[in-house]
Amino acid sequence: PAGAEQAALFFEATRVAREARTKEELAEAIARYERLLAAGLRNGRVEYNLGNAYFRTGDAGRALLHWRRAERLLPGDAQIAHNIEFARSRLPDKFETESAAEALAIVCFWHAWPLATRWHAALAFFACLWACLALRLRYRTWALAAAACACGIIACALGASAAVTMRHEAAAPPAVMVAEQTIVRQGNYEESEPVFNGPVHSGTEVRIIDDTRGPWVRVEFPNKKDGWVRRETVERI
C-alpha cells in the first residue's frame, strides 16, 4: 500500500539524516524527503525533518521555508516555533516594520498565532457560546450570560483575525528567499536599478504581490518596500 511505502521511505530518510556526518549523506536524506513531498504527501514531520536537514547543510533559506510549512501543518508545536525563531535571529537582513503594525501586533496579540490555531480556537469558543446559551435557558444566572458574551466576543475576534489572514495570504502569499544572495530590482529586467544598496540573503521572508511576469516575481518586504526578483530565487510557503 502507498501509505506503508511512504512510511518506510520516511523512516529510512530519517535514519539516513540522523546518521549523516557529511553534506553528501545529508543530501541523500534530503532527496528522500523531497521525493515524499513530490508524491503529494503533506506531512508536518516530513517538512520539519527536511528543514532540519537543510539547516545542517547551511541552507538557512530552505530550512526556514520547510519549518514554516511544518508550522502550518502542526500549529502550536513548540520545537518548530523555536527553530523558526532561532533561524530568524541568525539572518543577516533585518527590516524595520512600521510602528503602527507593531502596535497592532501588541494589542491584537492573537493575530500572531498560526492560522489553524486561530480557527480551532474560534470554533471552540463558538461552541462554548452555544453551550452557555443552552444552559442559560435552564439556569437564569448572570454568570452564564457573561460567559456567553465573553465567548462570543473572543470567537468573533479570533474568526475575524483568521479571515483577514486568509484574505491577505490569498492576495499576497508568504514566501522565503532561497537563493544565497539576490539583487532586488525596481523593474522586471536585469538592467533595472536595485531597490537596496546590496543583495538580500537566503531566509528573508517576503510576500508575493505579482506572479504574472514570466521569469520575474514582484515581492514585498516586511518594511513595505517591494521589488522584482528572479522566480527561482523565491519559494512560496
Side-chain angles (χ1 to χ4, degrees):
E5 213 172 281
Q6 289 176 338
L9 184 56
F10 171 74
F11 287 120
E12 180 61 18
T14 302
R15 182 193 64 78
V16 172
R18 186 172 57 248
E19 296 175 359
R21 295 294 179 269
T22 66
K23 284 191 176 183
E24 290 72 20
E25 291 170 338
L26 282 169
E28 182 185 343
I30 287 169
R32 292 172 185 263
Y33 286 130
E34 295 278 17
R35 195 152 62 245
L36 279 168
L37 296 175
L41 180 66
R42 295 185 76 248
N43 183 281
R45 285 295 146 203
V46 174
E47 296 283 7
Y48 172 69
N49 287 2
L50 180 55
N52 290 347
Y54 270 122
F55 192 77
R56 289 173 62 192
T57 67
D59 192 337
R62 286 188 171 80
L64 186 55
L65 171 72
H66 290 286
W67 286 336
R68 286 291 311 277
R69 289 176 177 173
E71 181 184 45
R72 290 191 164 197
L73 295 167
L74 298 170
D77 187 290
Q79 188 58 54
I80 294 172
H82 171 78
N83 284 15
I84 290 171
E85 288 308 309
F86 179 74
R88 284 171 174 166
S89 71
R90 293 169 62 92
L91 295 177
D93 299 322
K94 307 295 181 186
F95 294 91
E96 294 294 329
T97 56
E98 296 178 347
S99 57
E102 291 177 348
L104 183 62
I106 293 171
V107 175
C108 303
F109 59 89
W110 57 88
H111 199 62
W113 296 353
L115 178 61
T117 300
R118 279 175 279 160
W119 271 128
H120 294 156
L123 291 173
F125 277 104
F126 189 66
C128 288
L129 164 65
W130 284 104
C132 289
L133 291 175
L135 288 170
R136 183 83 168 78
L137 293 175
R138 182 169 183 180
Y139 305 104
R140 301 270 178 186
T141 67
W142 66 268
L144 283 172
C149 288
C151 288
I153 291 169
I154 295 171
C156 288
L158 290 166
S161 172
V164 167
T165 297
M166 289 183 67
R167 183 176 179 181
H168 190 200
E169 290 190 356
V176 176
M177 302 300 300
V178 293
E180 187 174 347
Q181 294 187 347
T182 303
I183 300 295
V184 183
R185 302 197 178 276
Q186 296 178 19
N188 57 330
Y189 52 97
E190 292 290 352
E191 296 75 20
S192 180
E193 290 294 316
V195 173
F196 303 112
N197 292 331
V200 296
H201 297 82
S202 175
T204 299
E205 294 176 78
V206 297
R207 288 190 176 275
I208 295 174
I209 55 178
D210 191 341
D211 192 21
T212 62
R213 301 297 180 91
W216 292 89
V217 176
R218 188 180 178 193
V219 297
E220 181 183 77
F221 293 83
N223 61 359
K224 299 304 179 184
K225 285 190 176 182
D226 64 79
W228 296 87
V229 298
R230 299 288 298 185
R231 184 176 297 277
E232 63 271 14
T233 66
V234 63
E235 284 197 40
R236 295 190 184 200
I237 293 172

